[in-house]
Amino acid sequence: EPTRPSRDGKFATMLAKKIGWEVTNNGDKFIISKPVNLAKEINEAVEYTWVYDTSAKFKVNGMMYNVDFIPISNTDLDAYDVEFSAVHGPRFNNSGMMAQSSIQVFSTVIQTMGDFISKQNPDMLVFTGDKSQNRVDVYTKMIRKFEDQLANKGYSVNIEPNGKNVKFIITKNNESK
């Protein structure tokens, strides 16, 4: 009789660990992922193209992405909400590349933010990570890796939990205004 995975994930956990993959228990489900070398992948931003002054596009593993810098209207600051999303292409693949793809995507988004800061000199950039999508830890680690580059441009990073989300706020330092 073939072995069946148990509902508690023990079989899947054992198999994943045997082949060197990581297992995360997300409360109601187990997530199995190929380990990613964050230090290596973080520098692998892909080439992007500015479509408008406030919008860029790029492609990772056949998926097209947009990064949009949307003015925040309820403030006196020159502030922008940074939104990035997939436009079209394959949603999933079987090669275990999704973790690497998300790191390349976010690394590219961070590069566009640095470029936007250099060109536009905004007072603030804000983006939000959804805790339920398991990307907040990666976003936090990656934004911390780029914190020195942002500091060299006169910006600081603040990370604020906000209910089911985490807000990442990149603010121009007072002496840079």
Side-chain angles (χ1 to χ4, degrees), residues 26-91:
N26 189 15
D28 60 339
K29 62 185 172 183
F30 286 84
I31 299 168
I32 299 172
S33 58
K34 185 177 181 180
V36 175
N37 181 345
L38 185 60
K40 177 181 175 250
E41 300 297 337
I42 200 166
N43 295 319
E44 294 192 13
V46 299
E47 189 173 319
Y48 54 90
T49 304
W50 287 100
V51 182
Y52 303 103
D53 288 343
T54 59
S55 184
K57 67 179 182 176
F58 61 93
K59 189 183 279 191
V60 173
N61 290 336
M63 177 85 76
M64 183 64 71
Y65 293 87
N66 279 348
V67 182
D68 295 303
F69 297 83
I70 301 166
I72 299 173
S73 59
N74 61 350
T75 179
D76 292 334
L77 298 174
D78 183 24
Y80 296 84
D81 185 33
V82 182
E83 294 185 4
F84 51 100
S85 60
V87 179
H88 61 79
R91 288 273 178 217

Side-chain angles (χ1 to χ4, degrees), residues 22 86 119 154 163:
E22 297 171 349
K119 290 178 180 180

Side-chain angles (χ1 to χ4, degrees), residues 127-160:
F127 67 93
T128 304
D130 182 344
K131 290 179 185 175
S132 68
Q133 293 183 358
N134 298 318
R135 294 190 183 116
V136 170
D137 288 343
V138 171
Y139 292 171
T140 301
K141 287 177 186 174
M142 291 183 74
I143 202 74
R144 291 292 183 212
K145 289 274 188 190
F146 282 97
E147 205 163 10
D148 287 344
Q149 290 178 22
L150 292 168
N152 289 339
K153 293 176 185 259
Y155 288 79
S156 59
V157 175
N158 191 19
I159 300 172
E160 299 177 356

Side-chain angles (χ1 to χ4, degrees), residues 108-138:
T108 306
V109 169
I110 288 176
Q111 293 296 332
T112 64
M113 285 191 271
D115 196 10
F116 186 80
I117 286 170
S118 295
K119 290 178 180 180
Q120 303 288 336
N121 199 29
D123 295 324
M124 181 187 303
L125 297 178
V126 179
F127 67 93
T128 304
D130 182 344
K131 290 179 185 175
S132 68
Q133 293 183 358
N134 298 318
R135 294 190 183 116
V136 170
D137 288 343
V138 171

